[in-house]
Amino acid sequence: MGMALGTLDELPLAYRAALARNSLAPLWPMMRDVLPHGGPRPVTLPHLWRFSELRPLLLEAGALTPVEKAERRVLVLTDPGRGAGAMQAAPVIYAGMQLLLPGETAPAHRHTPSAARIIVEGEGAYTVVDGEKCPMHRGDLVLTPGGAWHDHGHAGTEPVIWLDALDLPLFVYLEGSYAEEAPLQAPRNRPDACEAEYLASGLVPSRRHGRAPAARYPMLRYPWARTEAALRRLADLGPSGEATELDYVNPETGESCLPTLGFTAMMLRPGETVAPARRSTSAVFHVVGGRGTAVVNGERFAFGPADTFSAPVFADITHAAAGAEPAFLIRIHDRPLQERLGYYEERPRS
Amino acid sequence: MGMALGTLDELPLAYRAALARNSLAPLWPMMRDVLPHGGPRPVTLPHLWRFSELRPLLLEAGALTPVEKAERRVLVLTDPGRGAGAMQAAPVIYAGMQLLLPGETAPAHRHTPSAARIIVEGEGAYTVVDGEKCPMHRGDLVLTPGGAWHDHGHAGTEPVIWLDALDLPLFVYLEGSYAEEAPLQAPRNRPDACEAEYLASGLVPSRRHGRAPAARYPMLRYPWARTEAALRRLADLGPSGEATELDYVNPETGESCLPTLGFTAMMLRPGETVAPARRSTSAVFHVVGGRGTAVVNGERFAFGPADTFSAPVFADITHAAAGAEPAFLIRIHDRPLQERLGYYEERPRS
Amino acid sequence: MGMALGTLDELPLAYRAALARNSLAPLWPMMRDVLPHGGPRPVTLPHLWRFSELRPLLLEAGALTPVEKAERRVLVLTDPGRGAGAMQAAPVIYAGMQLLLPGETAPAHRHTPSAARIIVEGEGAYTVVDGEKCPMHRGDLVLTPGGAWHDHGHAGTEPVIWLDALDLPLFVYLEGSYAEEAPLQAPRNRPDACEAEYLASGLVPSRRHGRAPAARYPMLRYPWARTEAALRRLADLGPSGEATELDYVNPETGESCLPTLGFTAMMLRPGETVAPARRSTSAVFHVVGGRGTAVVNGERFAFGPADTFSAPVFADITHAAAGAEPAFLIRIHDRPLQERLGYYEERPRS
Amino acid sequence: MGMALGTLDELPLAYRAALARNSLAPLWPMMRDVLPHGGPRPVTLPHLWRFSELRPLLLEAGALTPVEKAERRVLVLTDPGRGAGAMQAAPVIYAGMQLLLPGETAPAHRHTPSAARIIVEGEGAYTVVDGEKCPMHRGDLVLTPGGAWHDHGHAGTEPVIWLDALDLPLFVYLEGSYAEEAPLQAPRNRPDACEAEYLASGLVPSRRHGRAPAARYPMLRYPWARTEAALRRLADLGPSGEATELDYVNPETGESCLPTLGFTAMMLRPGETVAPARRSTSAVFHVVGGRGTAVVNGERFAFGPADTFSAPVFADITHAAAGAEPAFLIRIHDRPLQERLGYYEERPRS
Ligand SMILES: [Fe+2]
Ligand SMILES: [Fe+2]
Ligand SMILES: [Fe+2]
Ligand SMILES: [Fe+2]
């Protein structure tokens, strides 16, 4: 174990050339790169994207590029560890701030990656997913699962901004990412399932035998009003100093609301500091409301409403709420994927 | 197929005696009894238990027998198809009306059958299940799953009556029914999980890695107020003439709230008639509110609040609400058991 | 807890009559019968059915009753705890010895209960299950799952005897037992799946996407030759004094081969005594080969080839092989059902 | 849809600089790269690695680098679509040919990626996995699942060569790849589970209640002799012109033998041509025996024993066996991962 492994330079040039000719490469000079000892060596760097800085740039994009030439007018949050233009904030997480101006639409389409959006600002926008029309209010989580047709519209009067989160990098990595387009959908004339069918925990529409099984994604919108109320109640009762967290799940199965990305709503009580275990997942945190600080691997971020920050795998993270109000965040992570791989892990802080 | 099978009488007496001596019996004379052709031959008969008749008898039981000598003061709803004293209303369903007087308690105990109770009348009672104290209001469904310690108390001033539903007959049949007793439990000082943790559909407490898994039965009380509100909303949106039904499920898994018995809340809109498919399950219907009629295999029951009626397997059932108010029922059935056996089936009406 | 519960006799006659008129019954006088304290009170009694005594009676049935008048010429093993004519050997287990004479057939039919048969004597019989023709050799286990069409035929020259095991009592209890008939099936012209597709542990036919999913019961025959060879190998390697046991499972899922009944092949090494934990299941043991003794709740059975014996729930059982040969048994039990109910349990010996 | 999207060049330099300063990037110029229309644009190129060319280079590696300086003496099969030194043959598949010389050992270690090896040449090597000693014969598949301790040894007299297949690229992508080391393990003194416990399809060791659950990976070796015999039998019976394929599965659950990588044994009958549907998985094919040709997206590979070739996602592949003998291949693919993501798909040939 102690001995240094051989390097590429130690191999004769002719041998190296013969390997290259045959699409072969020696493992041992690369071994410690792909299988480091003791723990992973993440490339991802923690970063804070301040909404106050991002918002003007996003509105400027609206002015610079008509939606027809952008299709989706999005500024992608690029991991500084990967260099300019990286289409991801963490290994599995694409996060982008999208702007929709009054009257604009996004064409109906579907793609292999799954998406969820968290509404940041503005009223009047909606997403239609497989015919189900979901209104979009601040803090709402709206799903567009992989393979589901979706389009967006905006019947309001002010710009709408939302945060898109997708497992796009995973599908790019798998060489399985692609999209298809279609005409705009005719939405059904009824409220979305969270208003019609999934109104109380533990109650689901009775299954009709012989009919098609329940939709794989029966509930597409998780209204923030419910989430905040549930967090506040949980915080009243739970022990202090411990995270107050709710996972977004499929109400028919209890599984994560999307196959690879997980979404966890967090509340920090006023003045509270929470220091969770290190997790094998990376994460993007979006601030729905309140102010505070996050220290990620020693880097300090002061956050406020609509800010977004990231953390790599196995990061030491400390969250604290500032001021007299609680802070509310949604953590976007890849725990569902890691659990499907049998790999998810938590470790004591370092 | 046409030929009649041999009968017991056709066999020589000496042969029959030799069989009996050897604990043997010929199949063919019994064949059509245990395996009838074309469909099952249920023993269970439909029946309506009127609360107006049952209630005085139950209160009289309170006067006749001190709770110490009754342990649980219950009048069992006995299937008339099985003769007097049958401890069941349907093959898998024990249903009994229980009376608890102010200040009375039921000793802490647990048993292999699973139970749920539906509160019928009176305020102030509670059930403690594995330390979780569940208040009991009219229409609430409160679970005491098999193996869970539970006791009851009554801090109110009026008699409390509830309907117990258990899969006791199944465990008696399996020769697996028994109970154990213990001292009263010290309840935890916090609201039960439906008030603390399961406040919104699709949101569950974030799972902590490495801790014990979520309790097998994380939510023990389903408050009627939520159920009725959800039914009314669903009825506003769903198609008329079709059952408005919600299943009670485990909010962590989407599975039925108990392993063998299922509970389905039903609403009939004012004046509405619903004629569902015939089901392979038998059922007991309890009326939480409203009035109407049910026709079960041609037998007509006019029902009102707190009444209870039963239906055998594959029954033709027609429900209708009477008057200007909707009717609300909870259907207790054995669909979860039948689905675990791969046997549940629905058929067109005969 | 100490106080005796009130009895039926203590209640006024008029009150008892009023209850009966209303199809009601007081729980408390029956309470200890249906929910005994501390453990179940099984009705089932252990019993040994000697093949040497059963065989002549079965052959006599062949002489007394033509197959047309018997449909299936079976002597049912009746639990002595239930009295003459009981169509079961244990709560969930029907067991019957069936005789098929050369040239006889059993009509094609299907039923809600699931069956398996263990071939006891004779060559040349076969079962066709949903078109799959399964030859039947001594010790083979052949499945006819609930709902599957099946018929039997006999192309040999000597009587064939097999042991049928069904969960018939469960379906009778559920009021769900019935049968349907059809013309004889035309078997497919290929060996059954155990000869064609399931030839090695851990290898299954590659699943074709978009085609119908694998049959729910992909392998219908478990040849004894393989079972015995695997048991002998396992016995060579495993620790002495501990049961050498293999469960029959679905090779596509690892689940029990039928939904409610389990089948476990056992080997006792020459001279070995095995004293397993007490199980919450009842069981019927069939001796495929070898001799020995079983002591069930203190009752001693000397067993030899083709004998069958039963044991109630939570029985203390001690098995011992006699002579220089190992003993081979197949244990039929209801562990799959009990595990689906979350109720299966093992306890130390008493 | 028809309009070209805006490009990076069309944006003002100052705007682009402001974005870069804020770790932001516009989506629309990159949109078609990460989400192409109509189907994925794989980077992976099909390639054939001839064993006759690879073997001398691998033996030369043995001469050039002592095992101490190589740890594992492996030549990695690098996808020509990714450029020199790529540590992968396809998105999720690392494949490398490993050489072990007589007397050499590989140190005990474990890592987050899962591995399987297929033995190519030489006798006498073995792998110890969590104490289970697996001998390695030509064509055997031996698993070292993620997290399992493993070491290799070689008690024979000739070089041993095997093909390692790992989901290493996935764990590198997830920033979760790492290894740990430990002293050599003391193997248990009994044959591995495929020789001891999993000897017949549909038979598994009886589960002991209350004990630790069956190992997650109960069978670590799949002997080629069994696989080839089962393939030949299946080919005798199955329809011609259709792939004769067996999947390697966990005998306790029927799931794929590893969480993300799938292994499928294929047989081509003498002279047979097989043209399967296009699959969303990429694949690496290893030739265990026989000769033939594969045409992958129009590129023709003549293959013989121990050759290995690759195919990208949705490739058109045609296999044909040459000569009088059947050809046997093992296909390594990522269908288990894709099925866990709900993404696996097959399409008609183009
Ligand atoms: Fe989209
Ligand atoms: Fe109870
Ligand atoms: Fe039958
Ligand atoms: Fe390794």
Side-chain angles (χ1 to χ4, degrees):
Chain A
M1 305 177 207
M3 184 180 286
L5 296 182
T7 65
L8 209 50
D9 295 344
E10 292 173 17
L11 293 172
L13 270 178
Y15 184 68
R16 286 156 62 186
L19 292 183
R21 258 195 324 274
N22 286 285
S23 290
L24 295 169
L27 170 62
W28 56 98
M30 304 295 293
M31 180 96 161
R32 292 285 183 270
D33 290 335
V34 293
L35 263 181
H37 263 180
R41 307 267 182 280
V43 172
T44 305
L45 288 178
H47 192 76
L48 170 72
W49 291 268
R50 261 181 241 290
F51 190 62
S52 59
E53 289 164 349
L54 186 155
R55 188 178 186 278
L57 291 166
L58 186 55
L59 292 174
E60 192 173 348
L64 286 168
T65 308
V67 77
E68 295 74 27
K69 292 200 66 174
E71 231 172 63
R72 274 167 282 294
R73 211 186 284 101
V74 178
L75 293 182
V76 180
L77 281 48
T78 70
D79 167 25
R82 278 179 171 77
M87 290 285 110
Q88 64 201 107
V92 183
I93 309 174
Y94 160 104
M97 280 286 181
Q98 180 155 180
L99 172 71
L100 202 65
L101 296 175
E104 290 183 351
T105 58
H109 64 288
R110 63 177 186 179
H111 33 67
T112 46
S114 287
R117 56 214 86 251
I118 301 168
I119 289 68
V120 177
E121 179 184 308
E123 282 292 317
Y126 57 85
T127 292
V128 184
V129 189
D130 284 342
E132 177 125 329
K133 184 174 180 175
C134 299
M136 297 166 92
H137 307 296
R138 197 181 58 83
D140 287 1
L141 185 82
V142 176
L143 307 181
T144 54
W149 290 104
H150 55 289
D151 57 65
H152 311 295
H154 185 350
T157 57
E158 299 293 321
V160 162
I161 296 174
W162 67 66
L163 178 70
D164 286 310
L166 284 87
D167 54 8
L168 175 66
L170 175 65
F171 282 83
V172 170
Y173 157 71
L174 290 175
E175 306 191 345
S177 181
Y178 65 94
E180 295 169 286
E181 301 206 337
L184 283 182
Q185 308 167 77
R188 279 193 295 277
N189 182 24
R190 43 154 269 182
D192 76 283
C194 84
E195 299 285 0
E197 294 174 318
Y198 297 98
L199 290 154
S201 196
L203 294 176
V204 301
S206 190
R207 283 116 188 186
R208 304 294 162 77
H209 185 70
R211 294 214 189 157
R216 192 164 159 213
Y217 300 97
M219 187 166 110
L220 296 165
R221 185 165 73 97
Y222 296 75
W224 177 253
R226 287 187 202 169
T227 307
E228 183 175 324
L231 282 170
R232 285 182 183 271
R233 178 73 173 151
L234 197 60
D236 281 351
L237 299 165
S240 181
E242 198 166 279
T244 300
E245 297 190 344
L246 291 169
D247 286 335
Y248 291 85
V249 300
N250 181 325
E252 290 280 357
T253 65
E255 294 190 338
S256 62
C257 63
L258 288 176
T260 70
L261 292 188
F263 297 84
T264 302
M266 303 167 56
M267 171 174 155
L268 304 167
R269 300 177 183 89
E272 184 179 41
T273 297
V274 171
R278 296 157 64 219
R279 298 182 174 99
S280 55
T281 47
S282 45
V284 167
F285 298 80
H286 180 71
V287 184
V288 178
R291 303 196 159 274
T293 54
V295 183
V296 182
N297 286 344
E299 194 152 345
R300 183 181 190 83
F301 302 133
F303 63 74
D307 288 351
T308 307
F309 58 91
S310 64
V313 299
F314 289 114
D316 270 301
I317 308 178
T318 306
H319 301 287
E325 290 302 311
F328 295 98
L329 298 90
I330 296 178
R331 183 170 77 246
I332 306 164
H333 53 85
D334 55 341
R335 181 168 171 175
L337 173 62
Q338 293 200 359
E339 289 186 331
R340 277 161 203 257
L341 303 184
Y343 165 67
Y344 179 72
E345 190 190 349
E346 294 184 6
R347 295 187 179 179
R349 294 171 67 86
S350 55
Chain B
M1 304 178 208
M3 183 180 287
L5 296 182
T7 64
L8 210 52
D9 295 343
E10 293 172 16
L11 292 172
L13 270 178
Y15 184 67
R16 285 156 63 186
L19 292 184
R21 260 197 321 274
N22 286 284
S23 291
L24 295 169
L27 171 62
W28 56 97
M30 304 295 293
M31 182 95 161
R32 292 287 182 269
D33 290 334
V34 293
L35 264 181
H37 263 180
R41 307 265 183 281
V43 171
T44 305
L45 289 177
H47 191 75
L48 170 71
W49 292 267
R50 262 181 239 290
F51 191 62
S52 59
E53 290 164 348
L54 186 156
R55 189 178 184 278
L57 291 166
L58 186 56
L59 291 175
E60 191 174 348
L64 286 169
T65 309
V67 76
E68 295 74 28
K69 292 200 67 175
E71 229 171 68
R72 272 167 285 294
R73 210 186 284 100
V74 178
L75 293 183
V76 180
L77 281 49
T78 71
D79 167 27
R82 278 179 171 77
M87 290 286 109
Q88 65 202 105
V92 184
I93 309 174
Y94 159 104
M97 281 285 181
Q98 179 156 179
L99 172 72
L100 202 65
L101 296 175
E104 290 183 352
T105 58
H109 65 288
R110 64 178 185 178
H111 34 66
T112 47
S114 286
R117 57 213 85 251
I118 301 168
I119 289 69
V120 177
E121 178 184 309
E123 282 292 318
Y126 57 86
T127 291
V128 185
V129 188
D130 285 341
E132 177 125 330
K133 183 173 179 174
C134 298
M136 298 166 93
H137 307 296
R138 197 181 57 84
D140 287 1
L141 185 81
V142 177
L143 307 181
T144 53
W149 290 105
H150 54 290
D151 57 66
H152 310 296
H154 185 350
T157 57
E158 297 294 320
V160 162
I161 296 175
W162 67 65
L163 178 69
D164 287 309
L166 283 87
D167 54 8
L168 175 66
L170 176 64
F171 281 83
V172 169
Y173 157 70
L174 290 174
E175 306 191 344
S177 181
Y178 63 94
E180 296 170 284
E181 300 207 337
L184 283 183
Q185 308 168 75
R188 279 193 296 277
N189 182 24
R190 43 154 270 181
D192 75 284
C194 83
E195 299 285 358
E197 295 174 319
Y198 296 98
L199 290 153
S201 196
L203 294 176
V204 300
S206 190
R207 282 116 189 187
R208 305 292 163 76
H209 185 70
R211 295 214 189 157
R216 192 164 159 214
Y217 300 97
M219 188 167 110
L220 296 165
R221 184 163 74 97
Y222 295 75
W224 177 253
R226 289 187 201 169
T227 307
E228 184 175 324
L231 282 170
R232 284 181 182 273
R233 178 73 173 151
L234 197 60
D236 280 351
L237 300 165
S240 181
E242 198 167 280
T244 300
E245 296 190 344
L246 291 168
D247 286 335
Y248 291 85
V249 300
N250 181 323
E252 291 279 358
T253 65
E255 295 190 337
S256 62
C257 63
L258 289 177
T260 69
L261 292 187
F263 297 83
T264 302
M266 305 166 57
M267 171 174 154
L268 305 167
R269 300 175 184 90
E272 183 179 42
T273 296
V274 171
R278 296 156 64 218
R279 297 181 174 100
S280 55
T281 46
S282 44
V284 167
F285 297 80
H286 179 72
V287 184
V288 179
R291 304 195 158 274
T293 55
V295 182
V296 183
N297 287 344
E299 193 153 345
R300 184 182 189 84
F301 303 133
F303 63 73
D307 288 350
T308 306
F309 58 92
S310 64
V313 299
F314 289 114
D316 270 302
I317 307 178
T318 306
H319 301 285
E325 291 301 310
F328 295 98
L329 296 90
I330 296 178
R331 183 170 78 246
I332 306 164
H333 52 84
D334 55 341
R335 181 168 170 175
L337 172 63
Q338 293 199 0
E339 289 186 332
R340 278 161 203 257
L341 303 185
Y343 165 67
Y344 180 72
E345 190 190 349
E346 294 184 7
R347 295 187 179 177
R349 294 171 67 87
S350 55
Chain C
M1 305 176 207
M3 184 180 284
L5 296 182
T7 65
L8 210 52
D9 295 343
E10 292 172 15
L11 293 173
L13 270 178
Y15 184 67
R16 287 157 61 187
L19 293 183
R21 259 196 323 276
N22 285 284
S23 291
L24 295 169
L27 172 62
W28 57 97
M30 303 295 293
M31 181 94 160
R32 293 283 184 272
D33 289 336
V34 293
L35 262 181
H37 264 180
R41 307 266 183 279
V43 171
T44 305
L45 289 177
H47 192 75
L48 170 71
W49 292 268
R50 261 182 239 291
F51 191 62
S52 60
E53 289 163 349
L54 187 155
R55 189 177 186 279
L57 290 166
L58 186 55
L59 292 175
E60 191 174 348
L64 287 168
T65 309
V67 77
E68 295 74 29
K69 292 199 67 174
E71 233 171 62
R72 273 167 284 293
R73 209 186 286 103
V74 178
L75 293 183
V76 180
L77 281 48
T78 71
D79 167 27
R82 279 178 169 78
M87 289 285 109
Q88 65 201 108
V92 184
I93 309 173
Y94 160 103
M97 281 285 181
Q98 180 156 179
L99 172 72
L100 203 64
L101 296 176
E104 290 184 349
T105 59
H109 64 288
R110 63 178 185 179
H111 34 66
T112 47
S114 287
R117 57 215 84 252
I118 301 168
I119 289 70
V120 177
E121 178 183 311
E123 283 291 317
Y126 57 86
T127 291
V128 184
V129 188
D130 284 341
E132 177 125 329
K133 183 173 179 176
C134 298
M136 299 166 91
H137 306 296
R138 199 182 55 86
D140 288 1
L141 185 81
V142 176
L143 307 180
T144 55
W149 290 105
H150 54 290
D151 59 64
H152 311 295
H154 185 350
T157 56
E158 298 292 321
V160 162
I161 296 174
W162 67 65
L163 178 69
D164 286 310
L166 284 87
D167 53 9
L168 175 67
L170 175 65
F171 282 83
V172 170
Y173 157 71
L174 291 174
E175 305 189 347
S177 181
Y178 65 95
E180 296 170 285
E181 299 206 339
L184 283 182
Q185 308 167 76
R188 278 194 295 279
N189 182 25
R190 43 154 269 181
D192 75 284
C194 84
E195 299 285 359
E197 294 173 320
Y198 297 98
L199 291 153
S201 196
L203 295 176
V204 300
S206 190
R207 284 116 189 186
R208 304 294 161 76
H209 185 71
R211 294 217 189 154
R216 192 164 160 215
Y217 300 97
M219 188 167 108
L220 296 165
R221 184 163 73 97
Y222 295 75
W224 176 253
R226 288 187 201 168
T227 307
E228 183 174 324
L231 282 170
R232 286 181 181 272
R233 178 72 173 152
L234 197 59
D236 280 350
L237 299 166
S240 182
E242 199 166 279
T244 300
E245 297 190 343
L246 291 169
D247 285 337
Y248 290 84
V249 300
N250 180 323
E252 290 280 357
T253 65
E255 294 190 337
S256 62
C257 63
L258 289 177
T260 69
L261 292 187
F263 297 83
T264 302
M266 306 166 56
M267 172 174 152
L268 305 167
R269 298 176 185 91
E272 183 180 41
T273 297
V274 171
R278 295 156 64 218
R279 299 181 173 100
S280 56
T281 46
S282 45
V284 167
F285 297 81
H286 180 71
V287 184
V288 178
R291 307 195 155 271
T293 56
V295 182
V296 182
N297 287 344
E299 193 152 344
R300 183 182 191 82
F301 303 133
F303 64 73
D307 289 349
T308 307
F309 58 92
S310 64
V313 299
F314 289 115
D316 270 301
I317 307 177
T318 306
H319 299 287
E325 290 302 309
F328 295 98
L329 298 88
I330 296 178
R331 182 169 79 246
I332 306 163
H333 52 84
D334 56 342
R335 181 168 171 175
L337 172 63
Q338 294 201 357
E339 289 185 331
R340 276 160 204 257
L341 303 184
Y343 164 67
Y344 179 72
E345 189 190 349
E346 293 183 6
R347 296 188 177 176
R349 295 170 67 86
S350 55
Chain D
M1 305 177 207
M3 184 179 287
L5 296 183
T7 65
L8 211 50
D9 295 344
E10 292 173 16
L11 293 172
L13 270 179
Y15 183 67
R16 286 157 60 187
L19 292 183
R21 261 197 320 277
N22 286 285
S23 291
L24 295 169
L27 172 62
W28 57 97
M30 303 295 293
M31 180 94 160
R32 292 285 184 272
D33 290 335
V34 294
L35 263 181
H37 264 179
R41 306 268 184 278
V43 172
T44 305
L45 289 178
H47 191 75
L48 169 71
W49 292 267
R50 261 182 240 291
F51 191 61
S52 59
E53 289 162 350
L54 188 155
R55 188 177 186 279
L57 291 165
L58 185 56
L59 292 175
E60 192 174 347
L64 286 168
T65 309
V67 76
E68 295 73 29
K69 293 200 67 175
E71 231 171 63
R72 272 166 286 294
R73 210 185 287 100
V74 179
L75 293 183
V76 180
L77 280 48
T78 71
D79 166 27
R82 280 179 168 77
M87 291 284 108
Q88 64 201 110
V92 184
I93 308 173
Y94 160 103
M97 281 284 181
Q98 180 155 180
L99 172 71
L100 203 65
L101 297 176
E104 289 184 351
T105 59
H109 64 289
R110 63 178 186 179
H111 34 67
T112 47
S114 288
R117 57 214 85 252
I118 301 168
I119 289 67
V120 177
E121 177 184 311
E123 282 292 317
Y126 57 86
T127 292
V128 184
V129 188
D130 285 341
E132 176 124 328
K133 184 172 179 175
C134 298
M136 299 167 92
H137 307 295
R138 198 181 56 85
D140 288 0
L141 186 82
V142 177
L143 308 180
T144 55
W149 290 104
H150 54 289
D151 58 65
H152 310 295
H154 186 349
T157 57
E158 297 294 320
V160 162
I161 296 175
W162 67 65
L163 178 69
D164 286 310
L166 284 86
D167 54 9
L168 176 66
L170 175 65
F171 282 83
V172 170
Y173 157 70
L174 291 174
E175 305 190 346
S177 181
Y178 64 94
E180 296 170 285
E181 300 206 339
L184 283 182
Q185 309 168 74
R188 278 195 294 280
N189 181 24
R190 44 154 268 180
D192 76 283
C194 84
E195 298 285 358
E197 295 174 319
Y198 297 98
L199 291 152
S201 196
L203 295 175
V204 301
S206 191
R207 283 116 189 188
R208 305 294 162 77
H209 185 70
R211 295 215 189 154
R216 194 165 159 214
Y217 300 97
M219 188 167 108
L220 297 165
R221 184 163 73 97
Y222 296 74
W224 177 254
R226 288 187 202 169
T227 307
E228 183 175 325
L231 282 170
R232 286 181 181 271
R233 177 73 172 154
L234 197 58
D236 280 351
L237 300 166
S240 182
E242 198 166 280
T244 300
E245 297 190 343
L246 292 168
D247 287 336
Y248 290 85
V249 300
N250 180 324
E252 291 279 357
T253 65
E255 295 190 337
S256 63
C257 64
L258 288 177
T260 70
L261 292 187
F263 297 84
T264 302
M266 305 166 57
M267 172 173 153
L268 305 167
R269 299 176 185 89
E272 183 180 41
T273 296
V274 171
R278 295 157 65 219
R279 299 182 172 101
S280 55
T281 46
S282 45
V284 167
F285 298 80
H286 179 73
V287 184
V288 179
R291 307 196 156 272
T293 56
V295 182
V296 182
N297 287 344
E299 192 151 346
R300 183 182 191 83
F301 302 134
F303 63 75
D307 288 350
T308 307
F309 59 92
S310 64
V313 299
F314 289 114
D316 270 301
I317 308 177
T318 306
H319 300 286
E325 291 301 310
F328 295 98
L329 297 88
I330 296 177
R331 182 169 80 246
I332 306 164
H333 53 84
D334 55 342
R335 181 169 172 174
L337 173 63
Q338 294 201 359
E339 289 186 332
R340 278 161 204 256
L341 304 184
Y343 164 66
Y344 179 72
E345 191 189 349
E346 292 183 8
R347 296 187 177 177
R349 295 171 67 87
S350 56

